[in-house]
Amino acid sequence: MVRKALLFIPDISGFTEFVSHTDINHSRHIISELLELLIDANTMQLELAEVEGDALFWYKFIDTTDLFQIEKQIEHMYLAFHTHLKRYEYQRICSCGACSSAYNLKLKFVVHFGDIEFIDVKDTTKPYGKNVIIVHRLLKNEIPLSEYALYSDAIIEALKDKALITLTSQYDFGALSYSYKGLEDLKLKLPKIKLIPDDVPKFKVFDSTYKINAPVLDLYEVISNFDYRLLWTKGIDRLEYEKNKVNRSGLKHQCLINNKKIDQTTIKKEVDEGQLVYGESTKEIPFTNRTNVYYILEALDGNRSKLHIEVYVDFKPFGFILKPFIKKNFKKIISANINELNLLIDSGFVLESKQ
């Protein structure tokens, strides 16, 4: 059955270079988050036909195009996308290529209108026909911008927007005309992102430095990536966290220790140039109001790192009496974890991204 439909593709620009030249695990999670964000920002009740790597292919059965609704949809997705990247740049804790360059990702949109039909492939039904081909061909065009909304010639007449620029490109089936508008001005509508405060509890109860036989970025990944946490941390029965997200400031996870659930939040603080920092905060250690643990890393050479661990505590009134015991307990736990960390590294352990 042939029906008229709006065809709508948001496409993440810079995806290929981002994935090719950065940490594959973190880049995968970042792109996944962004695609999920765009799906959640679907205000037009578009039907998702397919996730296409760095793009989403949507359609909606309509008889005529509604320019105002289309432009509001584009604006909503664009602002959600860049607000997330802006917040991520403030909150990230990792300095790998993916995390430190995510802010370079861009977003463009291709919008087309025309007849489509459907094809069944096993248990999947997908849009099919000439107009499906056209909307995908238009992803490759001669627009000299990295962020824009492209409208095909099928809806140009409905636009009547003097701010649009019209071009014609040659494709394997002939010439296509389209118009476009830059989206850079929409960034003026981005909300202000508040920085996460670096409030550190008053009392330092642990401060020690270790030399670890691992490159600093690899060591940082082992410490900050929850996928590896149970390989070197003693006493945790289970760890619950969002597996499809890269760990960053403000992200929460939960440890199960002796059948008790401990809620923790990822944090960071200012460190010297050349240092990396990862931290966790919890309010659930007995006799304390809050406990922050910081792992501060620095490269010694290409294959060795200096790991400095600090623990700060705000005590409850009775906690001051138990301060010596609490300090002794942290020393015991951290020493055991460092021993496990060294055993893991000396065993020939290799990060998943390097396997």
mmCIF file of all heavy atoms in Angstrom, residues 12 18 25-35 84-85 88 96-100 102 105 244-246 248:
data_model
loop_
_atom_site.group_PDB
_atom_site.id
_atom_site.type_symbol
_atom_site.label_atom_id
_atom_site.label_comp_id
_atom_site.label_asym_id
_atom_site.label_seq_id
_atom_site.Cartn_x
_atom_site.Cartn_y
_atom_site.Cartn_z
ATOM 1 N N ILE A 12 24.290 12.506 13.001
ATOM 2 C CA ILE A 12 25.379 13.034 13.815
ATOM 3 C C ILE A 12 26.620 13.202 12.938
ATOM 4 O O ILE A 12 27.200 12.221 12.475
ATOM 5 C CB ILE A 12 25.679 12.115 15.013
ATOM 6 C CG1 ILE A 12 24.444 11.984 15.907
ATOM 7 C CG2 ILE A 12 26.869 12.640 15.813
ATOM 8 C CD1 ILE A 12 24.602 11.015 17.060
ATOM 9 N N PHE A 18 35.155 10.409 14.788
ATOM 10 C CA PHE A 18 35.045 10.240 16.235
ATOM 11 C C PHE A 18 35.279 8.788 16.632
ATOM 12 O O PHE A 18 36.033 8.495 17.558
ATOM 13 C CB PHE A 18 33.658 10.704 16.680
ATOM 14 C CG PHE A 18 33.391 10.571 18.152
ATOM 15 C CD1 PHE A 18 34.068 11.366 19.064
ATOM 16 C CD2 PHE A 18 32.458 9.667 18.625
ATOM 17 C CE1 PHE A 18 33.817 11.262 20.422
ATOM 18 C CE2 PHE A 18 32.198 9.551 19.977
ATOM 19 C CZ PHE A 18 32.878 10.353 20.879
ATOM 20 N N ASN A 25 35.154 1.846 23.187
ATOM 21 C CA ASN A 25 34.123 1.609 24.201
ATOM 22 C C ASN A 25 33.415 2.898 24.590
ATOM 23 O O ASN A 25 32.182 2.965 24.620
ATOM 24 C CB ASN A 25 34.756 0.964 25.445
ATOM 25 C CG ASN A 25 35.061 -0.496 25.219
ATOM 26 O OD1 ASN A 25 34.380 -1.169 24.468
ATOM 27 N ND2 ASN A 25 36.097 -0.989 25.863
ATOM 28 N N HIS A 26 34.182 3.935 24.898
ATOM 29 C CA HIS A 26 33.565 5.185 25.318
ATOM 30 C C HIS A 26 32.832 5.865 24.166
ATOM 31 O O HIS A 26 31.764 6.443 24.363
ATOM 32 C CB HIS A 26 34.614 6.112 25.919
ATOM 33 C CG HIS A 26 35.052 5.692 27.286
ATOM 34 N ND1 HIS A 26 35.720 6.533 28.142
ATOM 35 C CD2 HIS A 26 34.905 4.517 27.947
ATOM 36 C CE1 HIS A 26 35.971 5.885 29.269
ATOM 37 N NE2 HIS A 26 35.496 4.664 29.166
ATOM 38 N N SER A 27 33.375 5.808 22.956
ATOM 39 C CA SER A 27 32.686 6.428 21.825
ATOM 40 C C SER A 27 31.359 5.727 21.563
ATOM 41 O O SER A 27 30.354 6.374 21.242
ATOM 42 C CB SER A 27 33.564 6.390 20.568
ATOM 43 O OG SER A 27 33.807 5.065 20.143
ATOM 44 N N ARG A 28 31.339 4.413 21.731
ATOM 45 C CA ARG A 28 30.090 3.664 21.539
ATOM 46 C C ARG A 28 29.029 4.110 22.538
ATOM 47 O O ARG A 28 27.871 4.336 22.187
ATOM 48 C CB ARG A 28 30.355 2.167 21.680
ATOM 49 C CG ARG A 28 29.101 1.303 21.488
ATOM 50 C CD ARG A 28 29.426 -0.171 21.549
ATOM 51 N NE ARG A 28 29.854 -0.575 22.879
ATOM 52 C CZ ARG A 28 31.040 -1.107 23.165
ATOM 53 N NH1 ARG A 28 31.915 -1.280 22.199
ATOM 54 N NH2 ARG A 28 31.350 -1.461 24.393
ATOM 55 N N HIS A 29 29.423 4.249 23.799
ATOM 56 C CA HIS A 29 28.471 4.665 24.825
ATOM 57 C C HIS A 29 27.983 6.092 24.587
ATOM 58 O O HIS A 29 26.802 6.398 24.785
ATOM 59 C CB HIS A 29 29.111 4.557 26.207
ATOM 60 C CG HIS A 29 29.296 3.148 26.684
ATOM 61 N ND1 HIS A 29 28.296 2.209 26.613
ATOM 62 C CD2 HIS A 29 30.365 2.518 27.233
ATOM 63 C CE1 HIS A 29 28.734 1.061 27.100
ATOM 64 N NE2 HIS A 29 29.989 1.225 27.478
ATOM 65 N N ILE A 30 28.893 6.980 24.182
ATOM 66 C CA ILE A 30 28.521 8.377 23.965
ATOM 67 C C ILE A 30 27.521 8.498 22.823
ATOM 68 O O ILE A 30 26.508 9.191 22.923
ATOM 69 C CB ILE A 30 29.776 9.234 23.699
ATOM 70 C CG1 ILE A 30 30.610 9.341 24.984
ATOM 71 C CG2 ILE A 30 29.393 10.631 23.204
ATOM 72 C CD1 ILE A 30 31.994 9.928 24.767
ATOM 73 N N ILE A 31 27.796 7.817 21.710
ATOM 74 C CA ILE A 31 26.880 7.858 20.564
ATOM 75 C C ILE A 31 25.536 7.231 20.933
ATOM 76 O O ILE A 31 24.467 7.743 20.563
ATOM 77 C CB ILE A 31 27.504 7.143 19.347
ATOM 78 C CG1 ILE A 31 28.736 7.900 18.846
ATOM 79 C CG2 ILE A 31 26.472 7.010 18.235
ATOM 80 C CD1 ILE A 31 28.450 9.304 18.352
ATOM 81 N N SER A 32 25.583 6.138 21.683
ATOM 82 C CA SER A 32 24.342 5.488 22.117
ATOM 83 C C SER A 32 23.492 6.439 22.952
ATOM 84 O O SER A 32 22.273 6.546 22.746
ATOM 85 C CB SER A 32 24.668 4.233 22.930
ATOM 86 O OG SER A 32 23.494 3.646 23.454
ATOM 87 N N GLU A 33 24.119 7.159 23.885
ATOM 88 C CA GLU A 33 23.396 8.128 24.705
ATOM 89 C C GLU A 33 22.758 9.214 23.847
ATOM 90 O O GLU A 33 21.608 9.614 24.059
ATOM 91 C CB GLU A 33 24.338 8.781 25.715
ATOM 92 C CG GLU A 33 24.641 7.933 26.927
ATOM 93 C CD GLU A 33 25.424 8.712 27.966
ATOM 94 O OE1 GLU A 33 24.932 9.771 28.402
ATOM 95 O OE2 GLU A 33 26.521 8.270 28.325
ATOM 96 N N LEU A 34 23.519 9.712 22.864
ATOM 97 C CA LEU A 34 23.017 10.789 22.018
ATOM 98 C C LEU A 34 21.838 10.320 21.163
ATOM 99 O O LEU A 34 20.852 11.045 20.996
ATOM 100 C CB LEU A 34 24.141 11.329 21.135
ATOM 101 C CG LEU A 34 25.214 12.131 21.871
ATOM 102 C CD1 LEU A 34 26.410 12.395 20.959
ATOM 103 C CD2 LEU A 34 24.652 13.454 22.398
ATOM 104 N N LEU A 35 21.918 9.109 20.626
ATOM 105 C CA LEU A 35 20.816 8.582 19.823
ATOM 106 C C LEU A 35 19.574 8.371 20.689
ATOM 107 O O LEU A 35 18.447 8.667 20.269
ATOM 108 C CB LEU A 35 21.233 7.276 19.145
ATOM 109 C CG LEU A 35 22.282 7.413 18.031
ATOM 110 C CD1 LEU A 35 22.712 6.039 17.536
ATOM 111 C CD2 LEU A 35 21.759 8.245 16.873
ATOM 112 N N HIS A 84 23.113 18.331 26.117
ATOM 113 C CA HIS A 84 23.754 17.118 26.643
ATOM 114 C C HIS A 84 25.273 17.185 26.473
ATOM 115 O O HIS A 84 26.014 16.872 27.407
ATOM 116 C CB HIS A 84 23.200 15.889 25.916
ATOM 117 C CG HIS A 84 23.763 14.600 26.397
ATOM 118 N ND1 HIS A 84 23.293 13.951 27.519
ATOM 119 C CD2 HIS A 84 24.791 13.837 25.930
ATOM 120 C CE1 HIS A 84 23.994 12.848 27.714
ATOM 121 N NE2 HIS A 84 24.907 12.757 26.758
ATOM 122 N N LEU A 85 25.741 17.601 25.287
ATOM 123 C CA LEU A 85 27.184 17.681 25.053
ATOM 124 C C LEU A 85 27.831 18.741 25.942
ATOM 125 O O LEU A 85 28.947 18.555 26.435
ATOM 126 C CB LEU A 85 27.469 17.994 23.583
ATOM 127 C CG LEU A 85 27.204 16.871 22.584
ATOM 128 C CD1 LEU A 85 27.579 17.324 21.176
ATOM 129 C CD2 LEU A 85 27.975 15.606 22.943
ATOM 130 N N TYR A 88 27.941 17.329 29.348
ATOM 131 C CA TYR A 88 28.935 16.253 29.378
ATOM 132 C C TYR A 88 30.351 16.821 29.485
ATOM 133 O O TYR A 88 31.205 16.283 30.197
ATOM 134 C CB TYR A 88 28.804 15.400 28.114
ATOM 135 C CG TYR A 88 29.706 14.194 28.116
ATOM 136 C CD1 TYR A 88 29.339 13.045 28.815
ATOM 137 C CD2 TYR A 88 30.929 14.199 27.455
ATOM 138 C CE1 TYR A 88 30.162 11.943 28.845
ATOM 139 C CE2 TYR A 88 31.758 13.099 27.484
ATOM 140 C CZ TYR A 88 31.370 11.964 28.177
ATOM 141 O OH TYR A 88 32.195 10.885 28.225
ATOM 142 N N CYS A 96 40.090 10.448 27.787
ATOM 143 C CA CYS A 96 40.386 9.684 26.569
ATOM 144 C C CYS A 96 39.925 10.494 25.354
ATOM 145 O O CYS A 96 39.197 11.487 25.478
ATOM 146 C CB CYS A 96 39.698 8.318 26.595
ATOM 147 S SG CYS A 96 37.918 8.355 26.265
ATOM 148 N N GLY A 97 40.335 10.070 24.176
ATOM 149 C CA GLY A 97 40.011 10.802 22.956
ATOM 150 C C GLY A 97 38.523 10.986 22.745
ATOM 151 O O GLY A 97 38.064 12.043 22.308
ATOM 152 N N ALA A 98 37.729 9.956 23.074
ATOM 153 C CA ALA A 98 36.282 10.044 22.877
ATOM 154 C C ALA A 98 35.654 11.060 23.808
ATOM 155 O O ALA A 98 34.894 11.940 23.391
ATOM 156 C CB ALA A 98 35.648 8.667 23.083
ATOM 157 N N CYS A 99 35.976 10.960 25.092
ATOM 158 C CA CYS A 99 35.349 11.842 26.082
ATOM 159 C C CYS A 99 35.782 13.292 25.915
ATOM 160 O O CYS A 99 34.992 14.212 26.112
ATOM 161 C CB CYS A 99 35.671 11.354 27.488
ATOM 162 S SG CYS A 99 34.884 9.767 27.887
ATOM 163 N N SER A 100 37.048 13.509 25.556
ATOM 164 C CA SER A 100 37.554 14.878 25.467
ATOM 165 C C SER A 100 37.221 15.550 24.139
ATOM 166 O O SER A 100 37.403 16.763 24.001
ATOM 167 C CB SER A 100 39.074 14.889 25.685
ATOM 168 O OG SER A 100 39.733 14.095 24.730
ATOM 169 N N ALA A 102 34.109 14.777 22.427
ATOM 170 C CA ALA A 102 32.678 14.600 22.142
ATOM 171 C C ALA A 102 32.003 15.920 21.797
ATOM 172 O O ALA A 102 31.054 15.962 21.001
ATOM 173 C CB ALA A 102 31.982 13.943 23.332
ATOM 174 N N LEU A 105 31.143 16.905 18.147
ATOM 175 C CA LEU A 105 30.090 16.276 17.355
ATOM 176 C C LEU A 105 29.031 17.308 16.966
ATOM 177 O O LEU A 105 28.713 18.211 17.730
ATOM 178 C CB LEU A 105 29.448 15.134 18.143
ATOM 179 C CG LEU A 105 30.352 13.926 18.393
ATOM 180 C CD1 LEU A 105 29.687 12.962 19.382
ATOM 181 C CD2 LEU A 105 30.684 13.204 17.091
ATOM 182 N N ASN A 244 25.098 1.412 29.766
ATOM 183 C CA ASN A 244 25.176 2.055 28.447
ATOM 184 C C ASN A 244 25.634 3.503 28.533
ATOM 185 O O ASN A 244 25.499 4.260 27.579
ATOM 186 C CB ASN A 244 23.828 1.982 27.740
ATOM 187 C CG ASN A 244 22.745 2.767 28.476
ATOM 188 O OD1 ASN A 244 22.825 2.946 29.691
ATOM 189 N ND2 ASN A 244 21.742 3.233 27.752
ATOM 190 N N LYS A 245 26.179 3.914 29.706
ATOM 191 C CA LYS A 245 26.651 5.282 29.863
ATOM 192 C C LYS A 245 28.106 5.300 30.304
ATOM 193 O O LYS A 245 28.541 4.450 31.069
ATOM 194 C CB LYS A 245 25.795 6.040 30.890
ATOM 195 C CG LYS A 245 24.369 6.307 30.434
ATOM 196 C CD LYS A 245 23.638 7.189 31.426
ATOM 197 C CE LYS A 245 22.238 7.526 30.928
ATOM 198 N NZ LYS A 245 21.520 8.409 31.880
ATOM 199 N N VAL A 246 28.829 6.294 29.793
ATOM 200 C CA VAL A 246 30.203 6.507 30.253
ATOM 201 C C VAL A 246 30.145 7.166 31.626
ATOM 202 O O VAL A 246 29.396 8.114 31.841
ATOM 203 C CB VAL A 246 30.974 7.408 29.269
ATOM 204 C CG1 VAL A 246 32.389 7.664 29.779
ATOM 205 C CG2 VAL A 246 31.022 6.760 27.890
ATOM 206 N N ARG A 248 30.627 9.526 34.646
ATOM 207 C CA ARG A 248 30.929 10.950 34.711
ATOM 208 C C ARG A 248 30.368 11.541 35.997
ATOM 209 O O ARG A 248 29.584 10.894 36.701
ATOM 210 C CB ARG A 248 30.344 11.680 33.503
ATOM 211 C CG ARG A 248 28.839 11.549 33.334
ATOM 212 C CD ARG A 248 28.388 12.346 32.130
ATOM 213 N NE ARG A 248 26.976 12.203 31.843
ATOM 214 C CZ ARG A 248 26.464 11.298 31.037
ATOM 215 N NH1 ARG A 248 27.272 10.433 30.442
ATOM 216 N NH2 ARG A 248 25.171 11.240 30.803
#
